[in-house]
Structures are given as C-alpha cells and as structure tokens.
Amino acid sequence: MIRLNKSKNSIKSKNAQENHFAVFPDMLPAKLINYFSKEGELIFEPFLGSGTTALSAVKYNRNFVGCEIVKEYYEIAETRINAALCQTKLF
C-alpha cells in the first residue's frame, strides 16, 4: 500500500481553496464525457475529489453521482458544483 501525504504532494489549483493532491485538467473528463455519453445520461465518479468530473458533467448536460470519503474534498466539490449549477447559461 502506498500512502500519500497530501501536505507534501499537494498541487495548488487556480483557487487556493481547491487544494487536492491529484488535480487534473478540465479537458480530460470533458473529452471522455462527450465521447462516451449522451446528454441526460448518468456519469458515475467513484473518487469525486474536488469535483472536476462532476463539473464537466454539469457543463455538458449530464447527470452525475460522485463518492468522496474525505470531508474537505467533498466540501470543495460541493462548492464548485453548486456554483456551476447556479450559473445562468446565456447561449
């Protein structure tokens, strides 16, 4: 088993409140979601983390279910997802 110490392996995102040790670009889940699913389908993310996959699901009109056991990461994801859901779409 490998144990990661998040204080040493932490990667800071653009927003200092969104620290997570395994941050990846929005483009990665977005391409996979668009390629492998259709609007209205369900995206399951077993390791929600900071919510990047869920944000892409919201952006491309997919439903999502995510699981996260670390409370701090859950709170980060919840804040990011709620902000995306409340944003008005102009086009």
Side-chain angles (χ1 to χ4, degrees):
M1 177 163 51
I2 297 173
R3 182 178 177 98
L4 295 177
N5 181 343
K6 68 179 180 177
S7 65
K8 290 183 180 178
N9 296 315
S10 182
I11 299 173
K12 286 194 174 186
S13 65
K14 293 176 187 174
N15 185 343
Q17 295 176 342
E18 298 171 8
N19 292 335
H20 190 275
F21 73 94
V23 177
F24 52 86
D26 296 342
M27 176 189 67
L28 182 61
K31 284 188 173 193
L32 294 171
I33 286 171
N34 278 319
Y35 189 77
F36 291 108
S37 68
K38 298 176 184 164
E39 286 191 19
E41 290 188 335
L42 181 67
I43 304 299
F44 175 64
E45 173 58 88
F47 308 104
L48 186 62
S50 61
T52 305
T53 300
L55 290 173
S56 291
V58 168
K59 183 177 180 179
Y60 295 104
N61 300 314
R62 273 56 167 189
N63 299 309
F64 69 90
V65 173
C67 302
E68 181 54 60
I69 61 171
V70 179
K71 184 178 179 182
E72 292 83 15
Y73 297 157
Y74 169 80
E75 291 169 351
I76 291 168
E78 183 180 36
T79 301
R80 294 177 72 201
I81 294 164
N82 285 336
L85 290 171
C86 292
Q87 188 170 353
T88 305
K89 295 180 181 179
L90 298 175
F91 303 100

